[in-house]
Amino acid sequence: MLNLINITKSYPRKGLFGRGGEPARVVDDVSFSLQGGRTFGLIGESGSGKSTLARIALRLVDPTSGTVLYRGEDITGHAPSRLMAFRREVQPVFQSASGALDPRMRVAALLEQPLVIAGGMARSEREDRVAAALRAVELPADFTTRLPRTLSGGQRQRIGIARALITEPKVLILDEPVSALDVSVQAQILNLLKDIQQARGLSYLFIGHDLAVARFMCDEIAVLERGRLVERGPADQIVGSPDNAYTKGLLEASRWSDHRG
Ligand code: ADP
Ligand code: MG
């Protein structure tokens, strides 16, 4: 579905008194692909470059070098007008969906906003989509009138997922979708994401820092250390018998018990 090939991203380093030094390379020659209906995990500690790769995969940020293919087509140089189908089909879910939600908007308006922006859909069809998205994330139909501040963290994240589903995407880019939630709520959201994937045949890029969570969610895992992939393979193998010292450290830091839902 999505191929990232030899992706590198550098940012200018801000030196003392505005003198720039060597650009800081925050992603260094990273390649991976998302297969249809499968989950690829990108795991690393804070600052390892995970969100930068998520934004590159979403075409929100240009790589310094490298190529992004969507369903075989090179979209790296595409102008925004040529990315409309891509934007519908590849949707993000961020760590704190609450931060991304306008506090003054009710759930119905939040959910239909992407459809309103895209245009060309009758109001009744938008309402049907909103109702279907609420059902998909297992929230009651009358949540349409709620304001974000009246929702729990888990409910807000369900709204974030519903909003991502509203355009009927094929790929979700999940950037730490449960990292801000209590462990018990994390399990509910992870199970929900798995159910949605099964029902709709979606591809997931799952980004996180916890290897136990990644084992539960992912088919394949790649471990990112300071912008480089240091280990990759089937999830059970990477988490069950890691080769790399950095991966072993991440595993020791995992506080998520080996939850099987
Ligand atoms: P992660 O999501 O793994 O925590 P990020 O991709 O957010 O990592 O960040 C990786 C590195 O890139 C960090 O050192 C961060 O400070 C740096 N970085 C991210 N975005 C920018 C930016 N717009 N300008 C400069 N540096 C950035
Ligand atoms: Mg991040």
Side-chain angles (χ1 to χ4, degrees), residues 11-12 14 26-27 44-53 55 175-176 207 224:
Y11 286 110
K14 292 188 193 78
V26 300
V27 172
E45 64 186 354
S46 177
S48 56
K50 304 182 298 296
S51 293
T52 301
L53 278 163
R55 288 194 287 269
D175 189 355
E176 310 233 28
I207 292 176
L224 194 64

Side-chain angles (χ1 to χ4, degrees), residues 60-210:
L60 298 175
V61 158
D62 289 322
T64 305
S65 63
T67 306
V68 180
L69 303 183
Y70 178 60
R71 307 183 94 181
E73 185 183 358
D74 183 352
I75 58 160
T76 323
H78 278 189
S81 61
R82 291 186 66 196
L83 286 170
M84 274 160 62
F86 174 79
R87 295 252 178 267
R88 274 197 308 276
E89 291 178 17
V90 183
Q91 284 282 336
V93 175
F94 295 112
Q95 174 170 347
S96 119
S98 50
L101 301 179
D102 184 331
R104 296 158 305 177
M105 282 171 73
R106 293 185 191 275
V107 163
L110 287 166
L111 293 184
E112 73 169 357
Q113 193 180 37
L115 301 176
V116 173
I117 291 169
M121 192 180 281
R123 187 195 184 111
S124 62
E125 196 183 339
R126 292 201 306 266
E127 285 170 358
D128 290 347
R129 289 269 193 117
V130 167
L134 280 176
R135 278 197 302 277
V137 298
E138 296 166 8
L139 288 177
D142 63 8
F143 264 51
T144 47
T145 59
R146 301 284 284 274
L147 287 165
R149 70 178 143 75
T150 70
L151 305 175
S152 70
Q155 289 168 341
R156 270 202 291 266
Q157 200 56 324
R158 285 175 196 263
I159 296 298
I161 295 165
R163 192 174 143 105
L165 295 176
I166 204 90
T167 59
E168 300 188 339
K170 296 181 165 59
V171 178
L172 293 187
I173 307 294
L174 303 158
D175 189 355
E176 310 233 28
V178 298
S179 298
L181 302 173
D182 292 344
V183 170
S184 61
V185 182
Q186 287 188 14
Q188 292 167 16
I189 298 291
L190 295 173
N191 280 312
L192 175 70
L193 285 168
K194 282 193 154 189
D195 291 345
I196 290 169
Q197 179 174 45
Q198 281 260 307
R200 301 181 178 225
L202 298 179
S203 305
Y204 286 169
L205 174 60
F206 184 87
I207 292 176
H209 57 270
D210 191 312

